Amino acid sequence: MTANLTPVEEAIAHILGKAPVITATEFLPLTESFGRILAQDYQTPADVPPADNSAVDGYALRAEDYAPGRALPVSDRIPAGSAPSPLKPGTAARIFTGSEVPAGADTVIMQERVETTDDGILINADVKTDQNIRRRGQDLAKGSLALGKGTKIRAQEMGLLASIGVAEVAVVKKLRVAILSTGDELVDPGTPLGPGQIYNTNRFTLLGLASDVGCEVVLCETLRDTRDVTRETLERAASQADLVITSGGVSVGEEDHVRAVLEESGELSLWRLAIKPGKPLAFGSIKGTPVLGLPGNPATVLVTFLIVGMPYIRTCQGRLRIHPVGQQVPAAFNVTSPSIRREFVRARIESVEGKTEINAYPNQSSGVLSSACWADGLAVVPENTLVAEGDLLTYYPFTELLS
């Protein structure tokens, strides 16, 4: 502990130890599988490609039949999708990109390097075996693992599944999430603001994040600042969801009821992290359902969801990679007052005079959500660390944190 604050790695390890992996699966048409998580391994039933094929439009021939200045007669034409006859020795076959290479041919010369004559083709290039031929099984060999269980399906995975003939995909059922915002001051967009009121920012940030990472939102409500309402809504959410995510209500104020309800009616196993922003984050359960209690400030909700919440969600989804890797990039800013907490700075990578560096948004207040719209990711300033321009920092793009 650091001044009674749980270090970030320790906190993440704690919640991952309480993350149940979803075992329920469903089958979807390949066309509807984008963004879902594979529930099983997919082996390659046949070589991909299934036969040697041409990588270019040109002419297929035997390399040994080539002689400089001597025309080769053209004996065949092979359009894509046809089954070619064996190549006649001493001849060439007109061939097109993707067409199967005929038996006997061992090279393809692209048409730009060929001159056609009445006697055949003259080749104006060096001729070597295997050039411009995509060999059978070059992409995937029969019996090999095409994609592993826990893989997130992107456009390229959809294409690869199609290449091995998969029309229906086994995917992990979506994690059911309840999103609860706390605060009497919160009103929905579209409603005129009264005295002391603000728009409910966190609801929409969390809805977007949950959708982006493949969760199903089964409940989304705003809690009034009373103990009984907080308890009743948390218990109702727990009966419907696999994970309850709250924003606000986890600090030490008299109106912070989420933490108190977890202590009284459930379990509070983690509270107060050595993270900036996000110190009063809480984790526990109600009626056996995990509850991730995020702080209430808008930028803090985003940061803590990405850094603490996403490893938990990936674990529940059975993902292959739980933690982001990041990259080392020189800082273009200074940190002159070290913190006992690990700071996640809203930042973006910029190129200045050919040099790549991380630039930080000038206002890192936990209430400044516009900083996250300006930023492309988070730069990590370790605990008790001064930073000078040029120092290497770990940088996590938002795309990687959410992938």
Side-chain angles (χ1 to χ4, degrees):
M1 298 282 187
T2 302
N4 295 320
L5 302 179
T6 304
V8 174
E9 286 92 353
E10 185 178 325
I12 293 174
H14 172 80
I15 69 169
L16 294 191
K18 296 180 178 293
V21 177
I22 300 170
T23 57
T25 63
E26 60 183 330
F27 287 86
L28 294 178
L30 181 58
T31 53
E32 299 175 15
S33 68
F34 183 83
R36 301 298 295 271
I37 311 301
L38 286 180
Q40 66 180 49
D41 292 340
Y42 277 86
Q43 308 293 331
T44 307
D47 290 333
V48 179
D52 295 349
N53 68 84
S54 178
V56 297
D57 292 341
Y59 294 86
L61 59 137
R62 290 193 311 172
E64 66 182 50
D65 287 338
Y66 164 73
R70 186 180 72 191
L72 275 178
V74 177
S75 61
D76 201 358
R77 184 178 185 276
I78 309 169
S82 64
S85 301
L87 181 68
K88 295 178 181 179
T91 71
R94 181 72 167 114
I95 198 168
F96 301 90
T97 303
S99 297
E100 185 174 331
V101 176
D106 58 16
T107 189
V108 173
I109 307 300
M110 64 176 62
Q111 63 187 22
E112 292 85 350
R113 311 306 294 272
V114 170
E115 178 185 346
T116 59
T117 71
D118 292 339
D119 297 324
I121 60 168
L122 290 173
I123 299 171
N124 302 311
D126 292 333
V127 177
K128 300 176 182 179
T129 58
D130 292 329
Q131 62 187 358
N132 298 318
I133 294 178
R134 296 186 287 229
R135 290 298 182 185
R136 174 177 178 171
Q138 170 184 285
D139 192 359
L140 294 168
K142 180 179 179 180
S144 65
L145 179 66
L147 291 171
K149 177 182 178 180
T151 299
K152 184 175 182 179
I153 302 172
R154 304 167 294 172
Q156 49 267 55
E157 280 78 23
M158 291 179 72
L160 196 68
L161 288 165
S163 78
I164 61 173
V166 175
E168 192 175 61
V169 188
V171 298
V172 175
K173 281 205 167 182
K174 289 188 175 184
L175 185 73
R176 297 171 301 167
V177 172
I179 294 173
L180 305 178
S181 309
T182 68
D184 288 339
E185 75 279 14
L186 300 178
V187 297
D188 288 337
T191 303
L193 290 177
Q197 293 183 327
I198 59 173
Y199 289 121
N200 189 344
T201 302
N202 295 337
R203 167 187 285 186
F204 296 93
T205 299
L206 289 170
L207 280 171
L209 289 167
S211 174
D212 203 351
V213 300
C215 297
E216 177 187 359
V217 177
V218 296
L219 183 69
C220 186
E221 293 186 7
T222 301
L223 304 185
R224 298 301 97 191
D225 283 329
T226 73
R227 189 70 54 88
D228 289 342
V229 168
T230 300
R231 180 180 294 105
E232 183 276 328
T233 309
L234 279 172
E235 291 179 350
R236 180 160 47 87
S239 69
Q240 301 177 38
D242 302 309
L243 172 65
V244 179
I245 302 176
T246 66
S247 61
V250 291
S251 193
V252 294
E254 295 178 4
E255 302 299 328
D256 289 317
H257 298 295
V258 171
R259 179 179 62 85
V261 168
L262 292 179
E263 288 181 313
E264 295 168 359
S265 303
E267 178 195 21
L268 180 66
S269 61
L270 180 69
W271 183 54
R272 291 169 56 87
L273 271 60
I275 186 173
K276 183 179 182 182
K279 180 173 67 175
L281 182 144
F283 182 80
S285 64
I286 191 85
K287 298 293 185 183
T289 297
V291 178
L292 178 62
L294 306 179
N297 284 313
T300 305
V301 165
L302 175 68
V303 171
T304 51
F305 181 96
L306 294 174
I307 299 303
V308 181
M310 274 306 302
Y312 179 93
I313 290 171
R314 290 192 193 99
T315 300
C316 292
Q317 293 174 331
R319 298 280 294 277
L320 295 176
R321 179 180 292 174
I322 304 301
H323 303 286
V325 176
Q327 53 190 291
Q328 297 294 302
V329 184
F333 59 92
N334 299 301
V335 175
T336 57
S337 300
S339 172
I340 63 172
R341 295 183 284 161
R342 183 174 306 175
E343 184 171 6
F344 291 86
V345 177
R346 282 142 274 161
R348 68 186 184 192
I349 291 181
E350 297 179 341
S351 181
V352 179
E353 297 180 350
K355 184 173 70 173
T356 299
E357 56 190 15
I358 308 171
N359 201 2
Y361 192 78
N363 188 343
Q364 291 290 319
S365 168
S366 58
V368 180
L369 189 58
S370 57
S371 62
C373 298
W374 174 91
D376 292 326
L378 300 175
V380 184
V381 178
E383 302 88 332
N384 305 305
T385 300
L386 296 172
V387 176
E389 290 187 30
D391 289 349
L392 289 177
L393 296 178
T394 300
Y395 175 78
Y396 297 116
F398 288 141
T399 51
E400 182 182 358
L401 289 167
L402 286 165
S403 67

